[in-house]
Amino acid sequence: MGCFHASIVIVLLGFLMLLSVPTEAATKKYQFDVVVSNVSRLCHAKPVVTVNGRFPGPTIYAREGDRLIVNVTNYSQYNMTIHWHGVKQLRNGWADGPAYVTQCPIRSGGSYTYHFNVTGQRGTLWWHAHILWLRATVHGAIVIMPEQGVPYPFPQPYRETELILGEWWNADVEEVEQQGNLLGLPPNTSDAHTINGKPGPLFPCPEKHTYALEVESGKTYLLRIINAALNDDLFFAIAGHSMTVVEIDAAYCKPFNTSALVIAPGQTTNVLVRADQAPGRYFMATRSFMDIPIPVDNKTATAILQYRGVPTTVVPVMPQLPAPNDTSFVANFRDQLRSLNSPRYPASVPLDVDRRLFYTIGLGVNPCPTCLNGTRLTASLNNITFVLPQVALLQAHYYDMKGVFRLDFPDKPPASFNYTGAPLTANLGTSLGTRLSRIAFNSTVELVLQDTNLLMVESHPFHLHGYNFFVVGTGIGNFDPAKDPATFNLIDPPERNTVGVPTGGWTAIRFRADNPGVWFMHCHLEVHTSWGLKMAFVVENGDGAEESILPPPMDLPPC
């Protein structure tokens, strides 16, 4: 018996040792064919650019620590790049994707293979085209599961699904953008919002164009919600059901319950939903949040939460969405977001700041003799309208090319003024330039983004490539450097890659510049990005190869 017991102990020890050995990271390969496909919505068919003929495109699945290899072959007539939104791309800006920032585009008929690791990240991210307005139809989800054997820090759901909130134009999206540019005016708004590419039954021709999620009574579901819309902050709610927010931008957060959520373009939000209502059919709905009087697509897109066994003839119940201009709901929702800050997932907020930056966000007007009013609407940071070069900035930096960009982006605006006072309608011209900000490796950065009333105030979702950051403070009115930092949350602020700057207000973020390269920062409202509301940081190399930019891949597209 003693030998028998000893052999069992040996087997158990061996099994435990196997469990403790880290699972080897896998390599996941995907083929993305960029093709023009005929797609029909709202009784209206048109050719659109897609990946693998799908709108939205395919979901990428991986585990934390995996290596991804995605070959993108461009069969469309447009130049193309793909951005892996929220993937940090450590030392590997070559795989980041924004056109003329980290790479030149993949030309029609060309290919480029994106190689990257998902290191220290898990959750919901997404991918999209990062050139022109092509991300309207070229986008999809990225689902990064935790490492094998590592549970979620919340109850295990019965099932998971992705919900991508987007837009549909009956017209060709590129023609919409070009027409706006020719006139010097804002382009036309979309004709419908969509959930997983489908507007739902409140629009014409809803047959086949309504997404339905079947659920079982008593089960809990994880919804991975992505705002892929070009130009709209969106509300989302499910009739009769509460949602528990557990993650934002692939960072776990302290769970809280809500009847609705707000999500800006570029952001992701994971929620748990328990199918605990009377079996029936319930609408999931989304529509715009806009708290100033400018035109938006204010129509409501719907999908259906369908309890198993309930006939499809049952008319779904509609949720109560916040009012389209409900600023107080948005502020309250934002204030509930907190990092999980657990031993396993700490919030490593920089407490000491090496570099303080203050960027004003402004709309402007520049001369345009060929435009409708002789002027063109524009946008700027610190009064600089960013101009993309014809050579990728990362290549220019890596090879020390002269004359492509300047390293003199100012740390503060050229002049102080009452940023959010009465509307300013004079002296609205901006300075055009390709000016970057140099950041020392491993330095800590605090950036305050300040909305202004140049022409009008407006909310802006800002996305920083290559990094997550902590949202340490936000407020309405002008940022006060003497008083407002005392209110900063340096314990458990939300960790994000895309943050909304409130209308007529400010947001403060902090990050450690430990990822060398050239990293884009821009408004994720596509209309504002195309007007120049963007810039880039050059984060210098550190010491040695492990703190330096990786060499460029052999198949990097030529300029």
Side-chain angles (χ1 to χ4, degrees):
M1 287 293 287
C3 290
F4 179 68
H5 279 299
S7 62
I8 288 179
V9 168
I10 289 168
V11 168
L12 282 172
L13 282 171
F15 179 66
L16 288 170
M17 285 174 69
L18 278 173
L19 285 179
S20 65
V21 173
T23 53
E24 193 172 329
T27 298
K28 306 283 175 63
K29 296 184 178 181
Y30 287 85
Q31 177 63 40
F32 276 20
D33 289 334
V34 179
V35 294
V36 175
S37 308
N38 276 319
V39 176
S40 176
R41 298 289 186 271
L42 315 185
C43 312
H44 188 97
K46 66 171 185 176
V48 301
V49 183
T50 66
V51 167
N52 298 351
R54 295 165 60 180
F55 166 58
T59 297
I60 282 185
Y61 296 97
R63 276 198 187 278
E64 180 179 346
D66 282 355
R67 182 160 182 77
L68 283 164
I69 300 175
V70 189
N71 179 262
V72 178
T73 303
N74 183 12
Y75 296 102
S76 78
Q77 71 271 38
Y78 296 102
N79 286 342
M80 177 58 63
T81 69
I82 302 289
H83 170 51
W84 317 95
H85 185 113
V87 176
K88 292 179 185 175
Q89 305 291 4
L90 299 174
R91 301 168 47 225
N92 184 33
W94 312 109
D96 191 42
Y100 301 107
V101 178
T102 58
Q103 69 168 96
C104 288
I106 308 164
R107 296 172 184 166
S108 183
S111 291
Y112 178 46
T113 302
Y114 293 89
H115 293 256
F116 56 95
N117 298 328
V118 283
T119 304
Q121 294 185 269
R122 82 294 309 161
T124 306
L125 297 171
W126 64 300
W127 59 265
H128 59 81
H130 212 302
I131 186 168
L132 306 172
W133 280 27
L134 293 171
R135 75 173 171 90
T137 53
V138 180
H139 60 251
I142 302 175
V143 174
I144 307 170
M145 301 299 292
E147 292 174 315
Q148 197 78 46
V150 177
Y152 293 134
F154 48 80
Q156 177 70 29
Y158 173 68
R159 188 182 152 202
E160 307 178 9
T161 193
E162 302 93 51
L163 294 180
I164 301 180
L165 313 181
E167 290 160 301
W168 171 264
W169 277 262
N170 285 332
D172 181 282
V173 177
E174 288 310 310
E175 289 180 6
V176 169
E177 183 201 9
Q178 288 167 14
Q179 183 184 32
N181 287 340
L182 286 172
L183 296 173
L185 299 173
N188 291 337
T189 59
S190 54
D191 294 290
H193 289 114
T194 57
I195 300 176
N196 285 350
K198 300 175 178 182
L202 305 186
F203 289 90
C205 296
E207 311 82 13
K208 302 181 188 173
H209 298 319
T210 301
Y211 174 76
L213 172 64
E214 187 179 78
V215 298
E216 292 183 37
S217 288
K219 305 286 191 187
T220 298
Y221 295 80
L222 180 67
L223 307 185
R224 300 173 177 270
I225 304 167
I226 299 164
N227 185 350
L230 263 62
N231 294 313
D232 290 332
D233 288 57
L234 294 169
F235 291 120
F236 177 85
I238 306 172
H241 293 72
S242 176
M243 298 176 284
T244 304
V245 178
V246 293
E247 180 200 299
I248 51 173
D249 290 2
Y252 296 133
C253 61
K254 289 184 170 69
F256 66 93
N257 295 332
T258 185
S259 60
L261 59 86
V262 64
I263 183 168
Q267 292 182 336
T268 69
T269 303
N270 284 9
V271 298
L272 292 173
V273 176
R274 187 163 177 79
D276 57 1
Q277 298 301 300
R281 303 176 81 226
Y282 298 85
F283 272 133
M284 302 184 278
T286 186
R287 76 159 175 238
S288 294
F289 160 63
M290 176 54 73
D291 53 357
I292 60 168
I294 65 170
V296 293
D297 177 355
N298 62 3
K299 297 177 283 295
T300 303
T302 52
I304 297 172
L305 189 78
Q306 163 90 39
Y307 279 69
R308 179 170 290 178
V310 173
T312 56
T313 51
V314 173
V315 177
V317 182
M318 196 69 178
Q320 186 72 42
L321 286 163
N325 63 347
D326 194 339
T327 302
S328 61
F329 173 89
V330 172
N332 181 61
F333 181 85
R334 177 198 66 215
D335 290 346
Q336 293 182 80
L337 296 172
R338 293 281 188 273
S339 282
L340 190 59
N341 195 23
S342 67
R344 188 177 189 107
Y345 305 105
S348 303
V349 188
L351 300 180
D352 298 312
V353 176
D354 299 318
R355 183 86 171 271
R356 283 188 163 82
L357 308 174
F358 183 76
Y359 292 177
T360 52
I361 305 162
L363 300 179
V365 177
N366 283 335
C368 175
T370 60
C371 294
L372 185 65
N373 299 320
T375 57
R376 181 192 302 281
L377 284 170
T378 188
S380 65
L381 286 166
N382 283 353
N383 207 46
I384 297 166
T385 296
F386 195 82
V387 178
L388 285 174
Q390 293 304 301
V391 177
L393 294 168
L394 181 58
Q395 283 172 287
H397 169 60
Y398 187 84
Y399 292 111
D400 197 22
M401 298 179 190
K402 305 300 182 189
V404 178
F405 61 83
R406 288 159 49 184
L407 281 170
D408 62 350
F409 192 92
D411 287 4
K412 58 185 180 181
S416 297
F417 57 96
N418 184 0
Y419 306 115
T420 55
L424 299 167
T425 55
N427 303 319
L428 293 174
T430 65
S431 169
L432 275 62
T434 308
R435 299 168 65 181
L436 279 58
S437 178
R438 190 207 307 261
I439 305 289
F441 180 81
N442 214 34
S443 60
T444 53
V445 179
E446 178 181 289
L447 167 61
V448 176
L449 291 159
Q450 171 74 61
D451 188 33
T452 68
N453 208 355
L454 290 162
L455 278 184
M456 68 178 75
V457 289
E458 189 174 346
S459 61
H460 299 272
F462 267 84
H463 173 47
L464 175 60
H465 291 228
Y467 289 91
N468 281 5
F469 50 73
F470 291 97
V471 186
V472 295
T474 192
I476 302 301
N478 298 340
F479 175 72
D480 185 337
K483 295 179 181 177
D484 286 325
T487 67
F488 283 0
N489 176 6
L490 302 178
I491 306 298
D492 60 352
E495 184 178 351
R496 309 213 71 139
N497 62 58
T498 305
V499 65
V501 179
T503 299
W506 56 269
T507 293
I509 67 172
R510 287 187 182 182
F511 63 96
R512 179 175 294 279
D514 55 3
N515 189 10
V518 177
W519 302 110
F520 208 25
M521 190 187 74
H522 59 97
C523 180
H524 225 273
L525 300 177
E526 208 62 44
V527 60
H528 290 166
T529 298
S530 57
W531 288 353
L533 195 50
K534 49 198 174 191
M535 58 83 65
F537 293 106
V538 174
V539 177
E540 297 175 321
N541 286 338
D543 295 327
E546 292 302 308
E547 294 181 352
S548 298
I549 302 169
L550 292 166
M554 298 294 289
D555 65 337
L556 191 70
C559 293

